[in-house]
Amino acid sequence: MVTLDQFRSWDSHVLATVSEHLMRRWRDMTGLHDSATDEIMFDGWSGPAADAAREALGRIRLELSNATDELLRIATCTADAAIDMASVVAALRAVEQAATDERFTVASDGTVTDTASYSVASADLWSTRRERRRRCEELTDRISQLVRSATDFDHALARRLAGRASADAIATVVAASVPHAATPAANAAFWSALSPAARTRLLVEQPALIGNLDGLPGRVRDSANRRVLVAERIRLRATELELRKELEGNTFGGLFTDADAGLEQTRARLASLDAIEAALERGGRQLLVLDNSSYEETMAAVAVGDVDTATHVAVFVPGLDSTVHGNGLRYDGDMENLKQAVQQLLPGDTSQTAAAVTWLDYQAPQLGWSMLDPDRTVVSGAAARAGADRLAPFLDGLDAARASDPHLSVLAHSYGSLTAAAAFRNDTGVDDFVALGSPGLGTHSVEDLRLPTGHVFAAEAGADIVADLGAFGRDPGVLDGITLLATDGSDGLIGSRGHSDYLTDGTTSAHNAALVVADRSEEAVIRTRPGLFDLVQRILYL
């Protein structure tokens, strides 16, 4: 294992100089080889001695040829290594410089310590401490990953110099070194340490390895996942054709093979790809997640706008019965409307921009037979907890992929609010949270969500009985520390009714959500009077 101090001492210019020196020696030896292999006339000399001279000269020629080839191989190897080393060293220096600028120290063992003293208002102290703690952990993860990348580079270079690995084999090593189950900060560090050539090769040859990697830039994930989308369509079309042939003329159908169920699932996956492609064709989209690894529903996340540059980023988490093929296009339209509404609330000088993400990267509970599945039933929090394990790193990744964090908001509807709340039990960097028609957040205290005070909101539309169930912890409408947003019509805005109208364009609830995303929540219309069920529950809890 390469130590951090060894890593710090690396200088890619040394490798480049070595390569240039070896190339000069290679040219010298090539000239020597050419002169040694010039035709030598042996006229007037024959016999055993002449034969021995010819044989000796042949050996010299061969040895010179082999030595020349080996010198060229090493010179080329060190030239390639100088480029790769420059990338990984630059990544380390950038992280350490950022740590210094932000008043963190990095010890020789990679330990990061916060050395800053806080001089902030008491109301901002909790948020400041949270951000400093998160940043310290992020820097630690980045440095640890860079040391691993440096070690992988060093081992691969040693094998190549020893002649035990080719340049193509090194590319395989890079693919094998893609982090698995690492933090978004570590993933970001891994990507930053790759040379442009290595990045391109991964993107073109192994897009599935990086498309869903939290912490990578949105533009990279989008490019990779669009390639995966094409490959998945080809694969699924072939599977569909194979299953149809299997079922044709089969008297028993799929009774003994489950081919009919497989065909139905394959067609549902193809419908999901159709929905994703239709959203992408609207333009200005980024495909941040595409995952068909589950035996259940296709999972995806599509952004409207650029999550790499947007000043304000919103992530929408849908709830019960949501699927990519069934709801993806509608949600994408809602996010388009939200982005436009937020953009209208921002300064007109384009200094601030917005992006909105439909996040369907979890198995949302479904109606029907899946209600009997303990891992997916809507009456359990199991699906929410599983979804939270995917949502939390996704949210962290939006921050880790950028030089500066965006104002990050999460809007979650119905069961999705339970999923989001479970994710917030870790520090996620989320600045604002809006629960829409929530059946409960899985807690009796808003402090469990680890979000900034005064930045948790809930909206309950009229005739939305789900929002008053309190099926998972107390009803958010009666929790202290949650600001209730109005949903009734006012000032030319339409009122929301029922459980599915919260983000409908032109409604009070959609306008309030846009204000929160634009970091102007103080201008949101607040519900001043509790609903009847909220009032009854509040009395009962007193």
Side-chain angles (χ1 to χ4, degrees):
M1 185 79 172
V2 172
T3 67
L4 180 55
D5 281 341
Q6 287 173 332
F7 189 8
R8 285 168 167 164
S9 70
W10 285 3
D11 185 349
S12 62
H13 294 97
V14 172
L15 271 184
T17 301
V18 168
S19 176
E20 292 170 1
H21 177 78
L22 292 175
M23 288 299 291
R24 286 195 298 270
R25 293 294 177 266
W26 170 75
R27 285 190 288 269
D28 293 342
M29 288 188 67
T30 300
L32 179 62
H33 174 268
D34 292 342
S35 65
T37 55
D38 286 342
E39 187 66 27
I40 299 176
M41 303 302 293
F42 286 91
D43 291 344
W45 186 23
S46 61
D51 293 340
R54 293 186 183 93
E55 183 179 344
L57 185 58
R59 286 197 302 271
I60 292 173
R61 290 170 178 168
L62 179 61
E63 290 171 359
L64 276 174
S65 177
N66 291 339
T68 302
D69 290 345
E70 182 67 3
L71 197 56
L72 178 61
R73 185 187 70 80
I74 296 174
T76 303
C77 178
T78 51
D80 293 343
I83 297 173
D84 293 335
M85 179 184 282
S87 296
V88 71
V89 168
L92 176 66
R93 289 177 178 166
V95 171
E96 294 207 292
Q97 185 60 55
T100 299
D101 293 345
E102 298 169 31
R103 292 179 294 174
F104 293 94
T105 60
V106 182
S108 295
D109 63 354
T111 301
V112 180
T113 305
D114 186 356
T115 60
S117 57
Y118 308 123
S119 180
V120 297
S122 58
D124 298 325
L125 184 59
W126 185 90
S127 295
T128 300
R129 284 177 173 170
R130 180 186 75 155
E131 292 308 312
R132 296 293 294 181
R133 181 173 61 252
R134 280 174 44 79
R135 185 58 173 154
C136 186
E137 293 171 355
E138 181 180 314
L139 289 169
T140 300
D141 290 344
R142 285 177 183 268
I143 290 171
S144 296
Q145 175 58 48
L146 288 174
V147 170
R148 286 193 292 272
S149 293
T151 300
D152 290 340
F153 161 81
D154 196 60
H155 289 170
L157 178 57
R159 289 196 298 274
R160 191 175 172 191
L161 286 171
R164 295 197 300 269
S166 65
D168 289 338
I170 297 303
T172 303
V173 171
V174 172
S177 67
V178 175
H180 297 283
T183 66
N187 294 337
F190 164 78
W191 186 253
S192 70
L194 295 179
S195 67
R199 293 181 186 181
T200 300
R201 191 159 188 170
L202 267 182
L203 186 60
V204 173
E205 298 180 1
Q206 302 281 354
L209 290 179
I210 59 176
N212 299 333
L213 209 57
D214 295 315
L216 266 61
R219 66 183 181 280
V220 174
R221 298 176 67 166
D222 175 57
S223 181
N225 284 326
R226 286 176 189 253
R227 286 176 167 83
V228 174
L229 180 64
V230 173
E232 274 295 279
R233 181 173 292 283
I234 294 172
R235 182 184 70 84
L236 289 171
R237 285 296 186 199
T239 301
E240 180 189 32
L241 180 61
E242 183 180 321
L243 291 172
R244 283 173 54 191
K245 287 181 178 179
E246 182 178 335
L247 289 170
E248 287 176 0
N250 190 328
T251 305
F252 298 100
L255 181 62
F256 299 108
T257 64
D258 287 333
D260 51 352
L263 182 59
E264 180 182 359
Q265 183 190 56
T266 300
R267 287 173 172 167
R269 292 188 185 279
L270 284 167
S272 294
L273 299 189
D274 291 340
I276 293 170
E277 284 191 342
L280 296 178
E281 287 172 0
R282 290 171 171 173
R285 266 55 174 183
Q286 291 178 325
L287 183 53
L288 302 178
V289 176
L290 176 57
D291 189 347
N292 264 333
S293 62
S294 169
Y295 68 92
E296 295 164 326
E297 304 288 345
T298 294
M299 296 180 288
V302 178
V304 182
D306 189 345
V307 297
D308 294 331
T309 61
T311 320
H312 305 270
V313 177
V315 177
F316 173 57
V317 184
L320 174 67
D321 222 27
S322 293
T323 62
V324 173
H325 65 270
N327 313 93
L329 273 176
R330 174 197 158 194
Y331 292 151
D332 181 76
D334 289 341
M335 293 302 100
E336 174 71 40
N337 292 334
L338 176 67
K339 176 185 179 292
Q340 292 179 357
V342 173
Q343 201 66 56
Q344 292 172 2
L345 295 169
L346 299 175
D349 59 4
T350 69
S351 61
Q352 297 188 46
T353 57
V357 182
T358 299
W359 187 84
L360 265 169
D361 189 23
Y362 83 116
Q363 297 296 329
Q366 303 292 307
L367 298 175
W369 289 108
S370 66
M371 293 185 67
L372 302 178
D373 183 346
D375 294 327
R376 293 195 68 188
T377 179
V378 72
V379 300
S380 162
R385 291 188 293 272
D389 289 340
R390 302 174 73 90
L391 177 59
F394 178 81
L395 296 171
D396 285 340
L398 294 175
D399 285 346
R402 301 172 46 142
S404 59
D405 295 347
H407 170 247
L408 181 59
S409 304
V410 171
L411 314 178
H413 176 244
S414 191
Y415 190 91
S417 65
L418 180 64
T419 302
F424 298 151
R425 290 178 179 268
N426 297 313
D427 290 332
T428 56
V430 171
D431 300 295
D432 287 286
F433 172 47
V434 182
L436 306 166
S438 174
L441 303 176
T443 181
H444 292 273
S445 173
V446 72
E447 293 181 358
D448 291 337
L449 303 186
R450 303 184 68 79
L451 294 170
T453 302
H455 290 264
V456 181
F457 306 87
E460 297 182 4
D464 184 358
I465 59 173
V466 174
D468 286 310
L469 287 176
F472 301 98
R474 291 179 63 181
D475 176 0
V478 300
L479 278 179
D480 292 333
I482 292 184
T483 302
L484 297 181
L485 301 175
T487 58
D488 296 332
S490 64
D491 296 329
L493 297 170
I494 307 168
S496 301
R497 297 287 297 175
H499 189 55
S500 304
D501 235 8
Y502 291 97
L503 292 177
T504 299
D505 196 30
T507 59
T508 300
S509 55
H511 177 67
N512 281 334
L515 284 167
V516 172
V517 174
D519 201 16
R520 292 172 55 176
S521 59
E522 68 279 359
E523 301 174 36
V525 183
I526 306 303
R527 193 177 79 177
T528 56
R529 293 186 300 172
L532 176 60
F533 287 104
D534 290 341
L535 183 60
V536 170
Q537 290 188 63
R538 190 174 290 278
I539 293 173
L540 291 175
Y541 277 112
L542 289 177

